Amino acid sequence: MGNTAQESKTSRRGFLKALTVGAVATCSGAVFESARAERTYPEQKGKHRFVYVIDVRKCIGCDACVAACKAERNTPLGVFNTWVEKWEVGYTDPNTGETRVKVLNVPKLCNHCENPPCVKVCPVHATYRDENDGLVLQRYERCIGCRLCEQACPYGVRYIDPIMVVMNKCTWCDHRVRNGLKPACVEVCPTKAREFGDLSDPNDPIWELLNNNSIQVLKPEEGTKPRVFYIGLEAIEGMYVGTGSSTKNQHSPAIWTDPADGKVYTYNVRMQTNKFRELR
Amino acid sequence: MIETHGPTLPNHIVEWTVLIVTYPFFSGIVAGSTIITALVYLFGFKNLQHLERVGHFLALSLLLVAPLAPMFDLTMPIRALFVPFYPNIASPIFLFFVLWNLLLVIMLLKSYFLLRRDFVERAKEGDLFGKIAGVLTFGAKEINPEEDEKKVKLFGIISVPLAMLFTSYVGFLLSSMHSIPLWGTPMVILVFLASAVVSGIGAAMLVYIVGQYILGEKVDVNNLRVPTIILAAFAGVDLLLFLLELVLEWYWNTAEWSLISMAMKANFFFYLVKIVGLLFVFIGGLSSLNRSLSGITILSVVSLIAVYAVRWTLVIPGQMIDKGHRGIVYPHIKLIGREGVSEVIALYFLAFFLFLLFVSIAGWKSASHKEEVV
């Protein structure tokens, strides 16, 4: 009788052990599998496939887009959804000694990446990629304000909204583009340096721009697959541009030699001024 | 006004400041004090049992306070409760949630079996803490100390790797930020682990020595020699890892090195405290300082200050480097308000209060220790 009780106790213990080990293995397997799956996002295949094209050769740096964005999205003081950087590119041909300088106005905004690092790190899925059109958007009512997305974003486009006190970002004016309009910044651009289109539509004029020009993206080495395409940044973006600026309190211009053709570029970069950062 | 140096992206500010510096400091002490647990239950240093008990109280109180630091840092603190309801397994914060809960359960189980005998004894006294202790016995009346010690040993051993994982999670979080030059390296995790051990042993020894001094009891210095030597060894490892990380940064992030050095110069004081402090603990802990009580006390205090500087240098300089890699932004440390120094001080007080509460309920010394003295 004692033996039977002992045996049944032993078998129960063994069963419980096996059950615990099995449960732990299943749960950890599921966790690892989901984590692996979420490391890289699959290609977005929705009804729409919005892309944004910026031709820096056409941009005159009038900041009308910045003003339009502030008005359309009611963006508070001290934060920007879009801004225009001024890059001074000096170029010397070592063969002729001839020096040329050109100024590029480089508009920046959220890249609505296909593989968005901000979505991956969000602990509550407040930032998400809309599978229907590929827009990377924010659920304001769910955001906890940990600012992990801001740290993860390599483009520095995310910010804490001083009024809502949660993360906010450029939405490519989702309220407009989903109703057949273009984003406010595209609409106001006087030189058509900013273009917006839908790759799922074969007749969209954006295809012509993309097919006829050399296209660059910002920080391709980050593997984020950005969907803001730049025209006119050949051999410029993607390489190191140094801490250069000509104004006081700043470093002397950085010099970079292109090993391919021996040309020397110097850079002065002037960013959007923001004297109200502490408002956040 | 927030100061900047060079062209910086307009949205960039140093988002995480003193609270996020404090969080890994607390979690590091939790993890480090489990090293003493490992010494007692894995390596058989039975004479460290009292130190282990003090370390356990400290770890438990800091484990309860630690998540408040990142929670206060949130712009919407109460929404922290959303994390288990909308889980994103790929997010490091979800990992934190899982690890913190697991560690808390293990630590509470360990506490129960470690302190059950004390609770039973304490419940016989009719005061308020006695009544609380009576509730905490969960109906247990007759205790077999040997059985309990086996369970304490089991949960203690489980808690060691779990606590290490818990503290290295912050390192994991920082090293997953590829876009920030000072963070995106796996070395960060190792630095977190090594400095956790230093601060954990240092804090446990300091609290133990101060507690014994207040109660007018003698501290056996010979008992503290082994933890002091381990403290010194890990301070050396920490220093070595820091130098290695520096070489790695210089070698791999050549392009950003001017910015990295600029951010480091801006935090020169903290780097100085870190290097001098760790060097002092390393050399002092292996010299004759480990034979005197005052020497060990100084080593413990210096180790805590040095590790705080380590946490600062891990969290702040990385954020100062602009995402455009062209300038740096200086941190804006507030005294009062959200993410202010006042919140950090409040957390320290809370941890101290919890520690006092645990000691009041369970007693500074264990029941078996009291019996031995009698």
Side-chain angles (χ1 to χ4, degrees):
Chain A
M1 186 69 188
N3 265 351
T4 325
Q6 186 70 30
E7 271 169 24
S8 79
K9 200 177 174 186
T10 317
S11 64
R12 201 187 313 152
R13 187 173 285 179
F15 172 72
L16 282 174
K17 267 185 193 169
L19 199 68
T20 316
V21 170
V24 169
T26 316
C27 290
S28 49
V31 166
F32 283 124
E33 178 54 27
S34 338
R36 192 191 62 75
E38 291 203 31
R39 267 184 69 204
T40 47
Y41 272 75
E43 199 180 327
Q44 179 250 329
K45 285 175 186 143
K47 192 179 163 198
H48 301 286
R49 204 170 148 78
F50 292 132
V51 290
Y52 202 109
V53 178
I54 294 174
D55 192 342
V56 293
R57 300 168 306 181
K58 288 185 187 170
C59 180
I60 55 170
C62 64
D63 283 355
C65 47
V66 181
C69 174
K70 285 266 179 187
E72 179 72 29
R73 296 282 320 280
N74 207 4
T75 318
L77 196 64
V79 290
F80 290 86
N81 281 323
T82 182
W83 63 93
V84 184
E85 294 174 11
K86 284 193 197 309
W87 295 6
E88 194 181 324
V89 184
Y91 146 66
T92 312
D93 190 337
N95 299 321
T96 60
E98 198 180 346
T99 306
R100 287 175 191 164
V101 179
K102 60 179 173 181
V103 172
L104 295 178
N105 296 296
V106 185
K108 294 273 183 85
L109 70 164
C110 176
N111 285 268
H112 290 260
C113 309
E114 193 142 343
N115 188 16
C118 56
V119 174
K120 266 185 272 182
V121 297
C122 181
V124 291
H125 290 295
T127 304
Y128 66 101
R129 190 185 78 177
D130 193 302
E131 291 309 314
N132 191 38
D133 44 28
L135 296 179
V136 177
L137 300 172
Q138 182 78 2
R139 294 181 178 110
Y140 304 110
E141 74 289 352
R142 196 189 285 183
C143 175
I144 65 173
C146 62
R147 288 155 286 161
L148 216 54
C149 48
E150 186 178 339
Q151 306 285 9
C153 174
Y155 305 104
V157 296
R158 308 214 47 157
Y159 58 86
I160 280 281
D161 190 301
I163 292 170
M164 291 195 287
V165 211
V166 290
M167 290 312 288
N168 203 344
K169 70 189 285 296
C170 160
T171 60
W172 280 359
C173 288
D174 59 327
H175 57 290
R176 291 172 63 92
V177 298
R178 283 172 178 168
N179 289 306
L181 297 169
K182 289 192 169 175
C185 50
V186 174
E187 205 76 67
V188 297
C189 184
T191 58
K192 300 282 170 228
R194 289 174 177 247
E195 286 293 347
F196 187 81
D198 183 359
L199 286 188
S200 61
D201 177 8
N203 300 320
D204 197 303
I206 207 85
W207 276 112
E208 203 184 319
L209 261 180
L210 292 174
N211 287 335
N212 298 338
N213 290 289
S214 163
I215 301 293
Q216 294 83 42
V217 291
L218 298 177
K219 296 194 179 182
E221 72 280 3
E222 295 285 344
T224 53
K225 297 186 191 167
R227 294 202 295 182
V228 173
F229 299 119
Y230 285 85
I231 299 171
L233 282 187
E234 290 98 331
I236 293 172
E237 185 54 37
M239 68 178 210
Y240 174 59
V241 289
T243 53
S245 180
S246 58
T247 53
K248 68 176 172 112
N249 187 32
Q250 287 169 358
H251 278 231
S252 54
I255 295 171
W256 182 81
T257 310
D258 187 349
D261 55 9
K263 289 170 185 171
V264 179
Y265 300 86
T266 60
Y267 285 89
N268 290 330
V269 177
R270 191 166 305 152
M271 295 282 187
Q272 180 82 42
T273 316
N274 184 1
K275 290 186 175 171
F276 301 98
R277 289 175 209 245
E278 75 276 13
L279 284 180
R280 271 181 281 166
Chain B
M1 179 152 166
I2 291 172
E3 275 184 62
T4 58
H5 187 108
T8 52
L9 297 177
N11 290 332
H12 185 201
I13 58 168
V14 177
E15 285 284 2
W16 295 341
T17 56
V18 279
L19 276 171
I20 301 294
V21 174
T22 308
Y23 166 68
F25 185 66
F26 282 178
S27 69
I29 293 175
V30 174
S33 63
T34 59
I35 290 292
I36 302 169
T37 310
L39 278 178
V40 173
Y41 295 110
L42 273 177
F43 299 101
F45 286 88
K46 291 288 174 194
N47 49 7
L48 288 178
Q49 236 160 1
H50 192 193
L51 178 66
E52 200 270 334
R53 183 183 169 90
V54 174
H56 179 77
F57 288 142
L58 189 68
L60 195 61
S61 48
L62 285 177
L63 183 66
L64 290 170
V65 174
L68 291 179
M71 198 173 156
F72 283 180
D73 182 72
L74 300 179
T75 57
M76 292 285 175
I78 207 74
R79 289 190 192 170
L81 303 172
F82 284 1
V83 175
F85 293 106
Y86 306 106
N88 179 5
I89 293 164
S91 171
I93 287 184
F94 183 75
L95 185 68
F96 157 80
F97 178 78
V98 172
L99 285 174
W100 184 78
N101 276 297
L102 269 177
L103 186 59
L104 187 67
V105 168
I106 296 292
M107 291 289 268
L108 287 177
L109 282 170
K110 187 191 155 198
S111 303
Y112 179 64
F113 291 111
L114 181 73
L115 307 173
R116 193 156 67 155
R117 205 173 158 205
D118 302 305
F119 289 153
V120 173
E121 296 291 321
R122 191 79 171 80
K124 289 171 188 164
E125 298 167 28
D127 61 343
L128 175 69
F129 291 128
K131 278 175 189 162
I132 298 173
V135 173
L136 290 175
T137 56
F138 291 103
K141 286 200 174 65
E142 283 177 17
I143 311 294
N144 182 356
E146 283 170 13
E147 276 291 309
D148 270 11
E149 194 170 326
K150 270 184 197 168
K151 281 165 189 156
V152 171
K153 189 176 174 180
L154 172 73
F155 291 120
I157 291 168
I158 295 172
S159 73
V160 178
L162 211 55
M164 291 297 160
L165 261 176
F166 175 63
T167 190
S168 59
Y169 135 83
V170 194
F172 168 72
L173 192 157
L174 299 190
S175 63
S176 67
M177 303 292 165
H178 302 289
S179 55
I180 298 174
L182 267 170
W183 286 358
T185 146
M187 290 291 290
V188 175
I189 302 174
L190 297 175
V191 175
F192 263 95
L193 277 179
S195 44
V197 174
V198 175
S199 64
I201 297 177
M205 285 204 301
L206 184 67
V207 173
Y208 174 65
I209 291 168
V210 172
Q212 291 286 82
Y213 176 77
I214 291 170
L215 294 173
E217 305 221 3
K218 208 174 151 248
V219 178
D220 190 355
V221 181
N222 287 332
N223 285 351
L224 295 181
R225 271 195 73 190
V226 174
T228 312
I229 290 168
I230 294 172
L231 174 81
F234 272 91
V237 171
D238 204 4
L239 201 61
L240 187 73
L241 285 172
F242 164 65
L243 295 175
L244 214 58
E245 195 200 349
L246 215 60
V247 174
L248 271 179
E249 288 290 344
W250 173 75
Y251 192 76
W252 290 110
N253 286 326
T254 318
E256 287 90 6
W257 179 250
S258 60
L259 284 172
I260 293 174
S261 56
M262 232 194 286
M264 284 169 73
K265 269 181 213 158
N267 292 288
F268 180 72
F269 174 71
F270 291 94
Y271 278 100
L272 192 72
V273 170
K274 166 175 161 172
I275 293 168
V276 173
L278 288 177
L279 204 61
F280 176 77
V281 175
F282 176 56
I283 296 171
L286 298 176
S287 72
S288 58
L289 270 184
N290 66 20
R291 290 197 185 88
S292 69
L293 186 62
S294 53
I296 293 176
T297 314
I298 292 170
L299 284 174
S300 310
V301 174
V302 173
S303 72
L304 286 178
I305 296 170
V307 170
Y308 202 86
V310 171
R311 301 306 188 214
W312 182 281
T313 54
L314 280 171
V315 173
I316 304 291
Q319 287 181 80
M320 286 170 68
I321 299 168
D322 184 59
K323 293 281 177 64
H325 293 183
R326 285 159 192 150
I328 59 170
V329 177
Y330 290 90
H332 181 62
I333 312 288
K334 285 184 278 187
L335 282 179
I336 296 167
R338 196 176 68 78
E339 269 232 65
V341 179
S342 56
E343 286 186 345
V344 176
I345 294 170
L347 287 181
Y348 275 96
F349 272 107
L350 187 61
F352 182 66
F353 169 75
L354 282 177
F355 179 78
L356 281 187
L357 187 72
F358 294 150
V359 171
S360 309
I361 296 170
W364 178 256
K365 281 179 182 169
S366 64
S368 60
H369 193 253
K370 280 175 199 158
E371 272 172 20
E372 277 169 25
V373 173
V374 169

